[in-house]
Each structure stands twice: as C-alpha cells, then as structure tokens.
Amino acid sequence: MSTTESTESTAAQPEQPEPSQTAPRVAEAASAPSAPPHVDEQQSRAVAEAAREQEWRKPSFAKGLYLGQFDLSLIHPHPRPRPERVERGELFLADLETFLRTIDAPAIERDARIPDEVFQGLADLGCFGMKIPVEYGGLGLGQYYYNHALKMIGSVNAGIVALLSAHQSVGVPEPLVLSGTEEQKRRFLPRCAAGAISAFLLTEPEVGSDPARLRATAVPSDDGSEYVLDGTKLWTTNGVVAELLVVMARVPASDGHRGGISAFVVEADSPGITVHRRNAFMGLRGLENGLTTLREVRVPAENLIGREGEGLKIALTTLNAGRLAIPAICAGAGKWGLKIAREWSRARVQWGRPVGEHAAMAHKISFIAATTFALDAVVDLSGVLADEDRKDIRIEAALAKLWASEMGWRIGDELVQIRGGRGFETAASLAARGERAVPAEQMLRDLRINRIFEGSTEIMRLLIAREAVDAHLKAAGDLIDPEQDLAGKLRAAVSASGFYAKWLPQLVAGKGDLPMSYEEFGPLAPHLRYVERTSRKLARETFYGMARWQGGLEKKQGFLARIVDIGAELFAVAASCVRAAMIAEDTPEHGKAAYQLADTFAEQSRHRTERLLDELWRNTDVADERLAARVLDDHYTWLEQGVLDISEGTGPWITEEVPADAAENVARRVIRPADDEA
C-alpha cells in the first residue's frame, strides 16, 4: 500500500520463529536508526530532484500537451500489441476467467483473508509471472495484457488484484527487469514467476513522500561482501505472505562507498526480519499488509540492485509502467459498475418508469458509461505505448494513475447513489434477505485506496507539474534563483528571452483553428481541434503563471494542480477519440456506438476543463490558505466544541515503537515450493 510516490509494500519471513526469538527484536525497536539530522525543505527537494529522470530521450505525447505541442501522430493510428502477445494473452485470459469463476469472493470479504488454495491456483496459472519475460520463466504478456488481466481479477476481488500488482508492478520483478544484473534476473525472476510472492519496502512510520528522511540503514561490512540492514517499514503490502522483497535503505557514505538510498533484494526468511502484525483497512479486506522490522539483517552485496544511491531512481523508473496497474483496476471497476447500473436501472421501477429513464439517474448512467470508455482508452493506449518502448510514458502513466483513480472513485460513488439504500447495504445482508448480492458499497471502499496507492493524488499533481514546468525552469534558470547575483540574472534573462521568443509565437495559432483539421475523425474532429487549441492555451497559462510568480510558482499548488488536471482531461479525450477510430476500423458494427461514447465523454470533459481554466485565476486559494493557517494556529478551536474525540489517549499520532503485544511473527508461507509438488 502506498500513500506517496512509491508503493509502500514489503515482505516477511515464511516460517514463524519461536516467541523467544522475536521478543528481543521487539525490545531493540527503540534502537532503530534515527532520521538524518536537520533535513530541511531544500535538502528534501534535492533528494527528490536527484532521483528524477532528467533527460527526455524519446518523444512524449503527454509532455507535448503541456507545451502546446499537440502531436497526434504519436498516438494515431492507435498502436497495437504484437501478434505473438495477442495469442498468448487471449489464451491466458480464457484460462484466468475459468479459474476466477471458482473463487468464493464473498468468503474473502467475510474472512478478510485470501484462501491458500487461491494463492496456489494463481501460481499454477502463472499469474505471478504475467509480465516476467518468457526467458526467465514468466508468461511475457506485456503491460497491455497484464492490464486486461487486472481488470478481470479486480472485478472478482480487489484484494487479489492488489496482491498481484504489488508483487509484479513494484515488487521484485519490475525493478530487476529494468535495472537488475543478468545474474540477479536468472536467480530471482524464475522464482517470482513460479509464485515466490514479492513486495517493496520504502515507507516508514515517519517517511512517506519525503524520502530524504529515510531512517532504514544498510551498512557495508568491512570486507564489502554484505550489507547489514536495520529499520522499520510500515504498510508492507504482501508483507505477511511474501518470500522475496525489495528494501530501500540508506548506505552511509565512506571510503569505497558512494552511499545514498539504495535498493536490495532480500530473502524474507532472513534472520532479523519480523512481521509484527497484519494491518486492517476500510477496504481490500484480503490484503496481507503488515508492520515489519529489520534488525541486523545480512544481505549479500550481489543483491544490491543497480549502484549505491540509485534506489529512488530505480523506484521511480519502476513506477513509470508500474503505476498503470491502478488505472487498469479502475477501468475494471468502471466496467462492472456500468453493468450493474444498466441492469438495476431497468429492473427498478419508480413513478411508473424504470429509474434509468428518469433524468436524474440518466445523467449518472451517462457519466459512468462515457467515463468507462475513456478509462479503457487511457489504459489500453498507455499499456501498448509501454510495451512498444518507443515513447517516454512517464507523464502518460502518471496522468493515467491520477485521472483514473479520481474518476474510478466517482463511478463507485455514483453507483452507490443509483442503487440507493441497496447501494449502502452489504452484499451479505442483501443475500440474507433473498436479493441479488451486489457489493456496491464494497467496491466504493476498495476503490478509495487508489487515490493514495503508488502516489497520492496530491503527490501525483506535484510530480506531473514538475515535469510540466520543466521547460520553463530550464529556460529561466538563474533568472528565478533568489541567490543569484545581478550579473547572473542578466545573463539568464538573455537566455530566457531567446527561448520564449521562439516558443511563444508557436502558441498563437495551430490546427485547432482550422475548420477542416482532423476531418478523418468525422464527428469527433471538433473535440480534437478543441484539445489542440486548449493545449496551446494551457501552455500560455503556464507561462503567465511563471511570469507572475517566477520561482514561487512551485508553491502555488492550487494553480499547478489545475494545470495538471487540464492536461489529464486533454489526454483522456485524445485517447478516447483515437480508440473510437480504431474500434470503427476493427469492428465496424461497434463503430457508431464507440463514436457516441467518445463524443459524450469529450463533451463532459470539456465542461470540466473549462471550469478548471476559469479557476486558474478566479479561485479561493489565497483565502483557503490563510484560513488553514489560522486553523493550524488554533484560532478556531471553539468551533470544535460540543463533540467527543474517542481517539484521545489511544496513542501518539506517529510512533516508531513496535507494539508491546507484537512478540509473535505473523508471517506465513501460502504457496508450496516447487520441489514440494508431487
């Protein structure tokens, strides 16, 4: 589970030591590594900036949207998956569907645990190696079919899909495929593909989106043959059942060691690893998520992924494609929600007509249908682009995650509203009184985490905004550096004026101003013209913000959030139009319907975009920030009177202490080793 930039998951040892073995480790919790001293805002930013990929070696469609460069040729004609992957993918999806129909999903929700036989069945199908290349024992499906599998699995149970995405999108497989040595790949990837569940340890009780404060350490041995890891990791998705994990820890700089935050593959049954408890959440009740400590855990030097100090960069690179799991899950939820909304709205009759024929419900159904089409478009386009590896998709993936998680939550909320009281009632309660057991409220609870997982909405907006204004920061350079002297600012002004003299005139006119542009898209052409015009307008508005606030723009988070959200809407509209054209070409019988869905979505999106554009300059940001500051200064505590806070006295807001009752290691192994099979 992640609240920040990375999925915050980890793993644990498969066998439970005797209580006498774990109790001393609990007692040692107070000696956990302390945070680096005096980590200020500038240092935190420096760490994050150093981890960011600086260069753009491949074209990026989404990056161009923020620069007023709408290059539709980068995504149209819609790219297709390779034929060999299509064959493998379709066969796998058929087998997967057969298996998923055997799962007792209500039992997982009731018992808050995925049965061991489900883990084993997933392993036997190859689900833990969907994206792992064939040469390392995986299925080699690629991102596109991996996304399709996640849609289907998520429609059955969100806990299962979280298990698989944590293992494969950000656990051991993805970092090794991208950054591991050949020896590491051959040693670990076949195990992962066979069902050795993996996880990712970054988050700590006091460390979320600010990795500069990371406390976990990895101290090299004197002979350089190993590292000794110490630390506490929070929200360790898969932590209770994992066999392998990726651990992020800080290597102290010393002779022969560059140091810095580094990534290691660690065996979960290594001495010194303890999973102290399994956490519980509002949704994802089958999620195996724990609180984990590492005490003097010895890891061979050859298990270092990449070089020392590259851990955060590896994590961010992993997430470029790994984030696409969340949009796929949201698209699957949209498809299921659309099916339920359609069937229920025809069956439920009020005031002489099915509820779906009443305008109030019709608007909600239209939103769900149009947005689900767009979710599918964004997910499939991003997935194929990731598989092609000919475009830089870091912004596409980030936008997909941000936009899909927000839209998915809205779909879930609207579905509950359409179902009324039955939407608020649990599936078990509905079944007990003889009605169809529709888990709408469960879907809403399960979807909520997607706005936090693998980069919260707020963090994603800041990350995307950093990339969106990168060209301006490079152009302005020393001009906006408050520590730069006058001579330096004058030189920077000359450089910036040269950049803007060439760039700004390109934003005045474009294809979006020509009535016949994009005519090959027929009735969707006006929407693409709007996207092109608005892309140029978005770039101009970003420039105006830069001119007004200069270096202070990075603190205008309300302005930047709207800039990002506008780009997300433009990306979704473009993807929807391109998808509709592809459907019309491939399956003409669905072409008209696809165009209708894309057209309605684009109209809905335009209204959201226009509102965001207006709110760039007309908003309550200043008043909101002033009021919030007063709230934090206790000016309005009188407003809180008249209620009771039952959480008072239950514990501190944040603690590094391991609970006193957590002496027993709760880790367990759920998939039998291959050599145990008959």
Side-chain angles (χ1 to χ4, degrees), residues 246-319:
V246 177
V247 179
M248 292 290 172
R250 184 186 302 278
V251 178
S254 62
D255 291 341
H257 293 276
R258 60 183 295 198
I261 298 172
S262 306
F264 302 86
V265 179
V266 181
E267 296 281 353
D269 60 357
S270 300
I273 296 180
T274 306
V275 181
H276 295 285
R277 65 170 63 252
R278 182 181 170 211
N279 300 316
F281 305 97
M282 69 180 287
L284 301 183
R285 286 177 52 79
L287 194 70
E288 299 283 356
N289 179 294
L291 171 67
T292 304
T293 58
L294 301 93
R295 296 290 175 261
E296 298 184 1
V297 178
R298 297 184 176 277
V299 179
E302 57 266 26
N303 285 21
L304 173 69
I305 306 175
R307 298 191 302 163
E308 289 181 0
E310 293 183 344
L312 288 180
K313 183 167 290 188
I314 289 170
L316 292 178
T317 303
T318 296
L319 283 170

Side-chain angles (χ1 to χ4, degrees), residues 369-386:
T371 306
T372 296
F373 180 83
L375 284 169
D376 239 6
V378 167
V379 170
D380 280 1
L381 176 61
S382 300
V384 180
L385 290 176

